[in-house]
Amino acid sequence: MTLVALVPLFSVIFMLVWRGSKQLSLGVFTELPPTAFEEGGGFGNAIVGTLAIVGIAALISVPFGILGAIYLSEADSENRLARSARFAAKVLSGFPSILAGVFAYGAMVIGARVWGWGGFSAIAGGVALSILMLPMILLTAENALHMVPRRMKEASYGMGATSTQTMLNVTLPTALPGILTGIMLAVARAAGETAPLLFTALFSNYWLMSNGKIDLLQPTASLAVLIYNFSSMPFENQIEMSWAAALVLVLLVLFMNLIGQAVSRRSIRA
Amino acid sequence: MNVHHSTNSLETPESRGAQSGVKPVENVIDCDIQELYYGTFKAVRDTRIPIEKNAITAFIGPSGCGKSTVLRCLNRMNDLVRGFRFQGHVLFLGQDIYAPAVDPVEVRRHIGMVFQQPNPFAMSIYKNVAYGLKLNGYKGNRDELVEQALRRAALWDEVKDKLHKSGLSLSGGQQQRLCIARAIATEPAVLLMDEPCSALDPIATRKIEELMLQLKERYSIAIVTHNLQQAGRVADKTGFLYVDTSQGGRTGYLVEFGETERIFKDPQEAHTKEYIRGEFS
Ligand SMILES: Nc1ncnc2c1ncn2[C@@H]1O[C@H](COP(=O)(O)OP(=O)(O)O)[C@@H](O)[C@H]1O
Ligand SMILES: [Mg+2]
């Protein structure tokens, strides 16, 4: 059985490395995507875009996720608000990602026009991804907080700590590795999402800038959407680019996971 | 005690003596539990136990008779349990710790606790011991107080070269002594110990018992134990609690209290006699 499961996995990895590495060069990180009959080119703007969009999503979902998890873990079992919040998070974690995109489209692309801005942007993409990340972070963080042994918290209370002091000094640090793992998983998932970005960040053939300044309010390229766009193109070079982009995306996610693991291992030892 | 406290709701013995001129109380704690409930369940009734200064007071009795409950009443740990209700009073140096103006957090800074399972924090040995100092915002030389607490807990020689290793890396007996060091670092007046040796092997148990006999020179100790021999070895005073299931209830109460020798050699109550005979035979 294990073998059967390993065959597709390894064939995907093999294809990815084999086809992706052919085009991999320094240029892909620094150049803009090629047009139809152009040779060479790269997807530097999509890498920056993915990092920006996922960064915005993390900026929204990490604080809310952790604060929510603290609330849920401290609320007692009869607290209705906590129960419905937990239920909502569970439902939301199985939410089709395309619907998160539709929601962010409605709220950020169309809805925000009411206040005089809106449109396809990195921020709209970040909001869409944060909807997917929030429940994952919330539920894993709550679980990690629950795993902190009761006797450790009692020790803190027994020393004359308030509940805030106990949370900040004992419970959160002890749960940190688990919380970080949850964040990394959520980031890894969000980085690979295409559907929600199609409605929100859209795509761009240019850098995430306007008038020489970083501009988060314009359509933004991302690796996932680039792969999606280029892989269905009839032009050889663009198809090759999408393979290279896929490899870079996988390496990026892997890299983030490794950082997460290193950080959490460090914090256990401390 | 040169530790800074955030509120002044509890007086120190010195300040009391200075203000009123009364002579210091012999018992650090006078506890009178009339009725104690968890929700609708009446767990303990009619239990009066004094905790004498610089002595070891042991609570013995069958499992479920409320020993831990009574102990946890003495520093308001039971306040963390939902549905906990209490009638009676607990006087700490003459002052009722259940008075409305008293902050339970403050009570626990004066009355420390060591638990059944060793429970060091997932942090370094040093940080474990310095935890209470940090809570108190202690600004002085923490290194010195950490070393002093570890020495008093008879752990210094074993850990002095690895203060920055995790407290969880120690053996069970060492962990428990670390917890004792952590509890005494802030110089509490009283140390409550709930079956502190029940998770330890006999050698580690002996070490903790010796340690308790040293610690009572500085602190007043109340210990729950299911091990009668242990009570016999360390305790000056012993209270026997019992739960009378024959009357249908499961409510524990104090049957007999007195000098440990007297309780063991010449128990007055039938339940005590029976229990002590049963445990030693
Ligand atoms: N947190 C709690 N909630 C409800 N009931 C409790 C709680 N703690 C203890 N009890 C009950 O109170 C009684 C006394 O328990 P305990 O003080 O732990 O006994 P002992 O330490 O003597 O074994 C038992 O019947 C126990 O089930
Ligand atoms: Mg007990």
Side-chain angles (χ1 to χ4, degrees):
Chain A
M1 271 318 283
T2 321
L3 259 170
V4 175
L6 283 179
V7 168
L9 177 66
F10 278 111
S11 47
V12 166
I13 291 178
F14 175 74
M15 279 297 279
L16 195 62
V17 173
W18 181 51
R19 304 220 33 191
S21 58
K22 263 201 292 196
Q23 278 288 328
L24 214 54
S25 64
L26 207 59
V28 303
F29 296 100
T30 57
E31 285 169 40
L32 292 173
T35 51
F37 296 102
E38 211 179 322
E39 280 305 303
F43 39 80
N45 63 335
I47 296 175
V48 173
T50 288
L51 291 177
I53 295 170
V54 171
I56 292 166
L59 233 47
I60 301 170
S61 55
V62 168
F64 281 110
I66 293 180
L67 289 175
I70 290 174
Y71 176 73
L72 292 190
S73 71
E74 290 290 289
D76 58 66
S77 54
E78 277 148 49
N79 184 325
R80 290 214 166 185
L81 179 59
R83 274 164 57 173
S84 15
R86 195 178 293 118
F87 177 73
K90 278 179 188 157
V91 172
L92 214 53
S93 64
F95 202 58
S97 61
I98 196 158
L99 289 184
V102 171
F103 171 80
Y105 175 76
M108 304 301 296
V109 180
I110 302 195
R113 291 213 174 111
V114 177
W115 297 292
W117 57 285
F120 300 107
S121 69
I123 293 192
V127 168
L129 293 188
S130 73
I131 295 170
L132 300 174
M133 286 171 67
L134 181 65
M136 286 181 78
I137 292 175
L138 183 91
L139 293 173
T140 46
E142 192 207 351
N143 194 38
L145 290 171
H146 260 295
M147 301 283 276
V148 176
R150 211 187 120 77
R151 56 194 159 91
M152 231 181 242
K153 293 182 233 172
E154 281 207 317
S156 175
Y157 286 115
M159 291 296 299
T162 62
S163 50
T164 312
Q165 287 171 325
T166 302
M167 179 53 72
L168 291 179
N169 295 317
V170 176
T171 317
L172 264 182
T174 311
L176 197 62
I179 296 175
L180 285 177
T181 308
I183 293 174
M184 280 304 147
L185 283 175
V187 164
R189 176 182 167 192
E193 280 292 344
T194 314
L197 296 182
L198 290 173
F199 298 95
T200 51
L202 208 62
F203 192 73
S204 159
N205 283 314
Y206 306 100
W207 294 98
L208 186 56
M209 302 233 221
S210 60
N211 305 326
K213 277 188 295 197
I214 291 175
D215 183 4
L216 297 174
L217 285 172
Q218 61 173 8
T220 302
S222 58
L223 286 169
V225 175
L226 179 126
I227 296 166
Y228 173 81
N229 284 345
F230 280 10
S231 61
S232 55
M233 288 291 176
F235 308 105
E236 187 63 25
N237 186 36
Q238 292 188 337
I239 294 176
E240 291 303 325
M241 271 301 142
S242 75
W243 277 107
L247 182 62
V248 168
L249 180 58
V250 167
L251 290 178
L252 202 67
V253 167
L254 190 72
F255 181 64
M256 284 189 281
N257 271 319
L258 290 180
I259 290 180
Q261 278 182 15
V263 170
S264 64
R265 225 174 293 137
R266 274 270 285 278
S267 60
I268 291 172
R269 255 187 272 129
Chain B
M1 162 157 65
N2 47 4
V3 175
H4 167 77
H5 296 293
S6 52
T7 69
N8 289 318
S9 48
L10 285 174
E11 298 165 349
T12 57
E14 300 81 46
S15 69
R16 276 176 55 77
Q19 278 161 16
S20 54
V22 296
K23 77 175 198 317
V25 215
E26 271 304 309
N27 298 331
V28 260
I29 294 181
D30 268 303
C31 130
D32 178 5
I33 300 170
Q34 285 149 19
E35 286 181 333
L36 187 156
Y37 292 88
Y38 289 121
T40 54
F41 169 58
K42 187 168 162 186
V44 177
R45 65 171 171 87
D46 306 316
T47 296
R48 300 191 60 155
I49 299 184
I51 308 298
E52 214 171 274
K53 201 166 191 316
N54 296 111
I56 300 180
T57 307
F59 302 178
I60 59 171
S63 177
C65 67
K67 305 180 295 292
S68 300
T69 299
V70 171
L71 194 77
R72 293 163 63 96
C73 252
L74 304 184
N75 70 343
R76 296 196 62 171
M77 278 303 277
N78 278 334
D79 286 41
L80 301 172
V81 177
R82 260 172 68 84
F84 164 74
R85 279 185 302 126
F86 166 77
Q87 274 171 36
H89 56 251
V90 175
L91 300 184
F92 170 61
L93 302 168
Q95 198 183 358
D96 189 356
I97 62 169
Y98 283 88
V102 174
D103 179 2
V105 167
E106 181 65 16
V107 170
R108 296 181 203 126
R109 295 190 180 178
H110 293 267
I111 307 177
M113 186 146 207
V114 175
F115 297 80
Q116 187 163 356
Q117 289 286 329
N119 56 359
F121 301 127
M123 32 173 118
S124 71
I125 293 168
Y126 182 95
K127 282 187 182 164
N128 263 283
V129 181
Y131 188 71
L133 302 173
K134 184 176 162 190
L135 293 181
N136 287 327
Y138 181 74
K139 291 286 186 309
N141 190 344
R142 290 190 188 176
D143 295 0
E144 221 164 69
L145 290 191
V146 167
E147 175 175 346
Q148 174 183 294
L150 283 167
R151 280 190 191 283
R152 286 185 186 161
L155 190 59
W156 175 251
D157 291 330
E158 289 157 68
V159 301
K160 62 171 184 263
D161 299 322
K162 48 177 182 179
L163 288 178
H164 294 284
K165 281 206 167 163
S166 168
L168 296 170
S169 67
L170 299 174
S171 74
Q174 289 174 324
Q175 285 190 12
Q176 196 62 304
R177 277 178 284 144
L178 177 61
C179 294
I180 293 173
R182 180 176 65 190
I184 61 180
T186 51
E187 298 279 336
V190 187
L191 206 52
L192 308 177
M193 308 174 101
D194 191 349
E195 305 200 21
C197 304
S198 67
L200 306 183
D201 62 66
I203 293 171
T205 299
R206 266 332 256 253
K207 266 213 165 114
I208 303 250
E209 288 177 4
E210 282 163 23
L211 177 58
M212 285 193 292
L213 292 171
Q214 289 167 25
L215 289 174
K216 78 169 183 180
E217 305 296 326
R218 296 185 157 273
Y219 312 97
S220 313
I221 299 177
I223 176 179
V224 166
T225 176
H226 62 244
N227 179 339
L228 282 189
Q229 283 87 345
Q230 180 168 67
R233 283 191 295 263
V234 301
D236 301 287
K237 294 281 166 66
T238 295
F240 173 63
L241 285 88
Y242 187 68
V243 55
D244 200 351
T245 41
S246 63
Q247 287 179 354
R250 280 165 51 226
T251 302
Y253 62 100
L254 180 72
V255 174
E256 197 168 349
F257 179 83
E259 297 282 340
T260 302
E261 280 240 350
R262 214 263 304 140
I263 294 283
F264 279 61
K265 297 233 169 80
D266 181 27
Q268 303 294 306
E269 302 289 328
H271 287 314
T272 321
K273 276 180 199 159
E274 197 183 328
Y275 183 71
I276 285 174
R277 190 165 357 100
E279 287 286 313
F280 275 113
S281 58

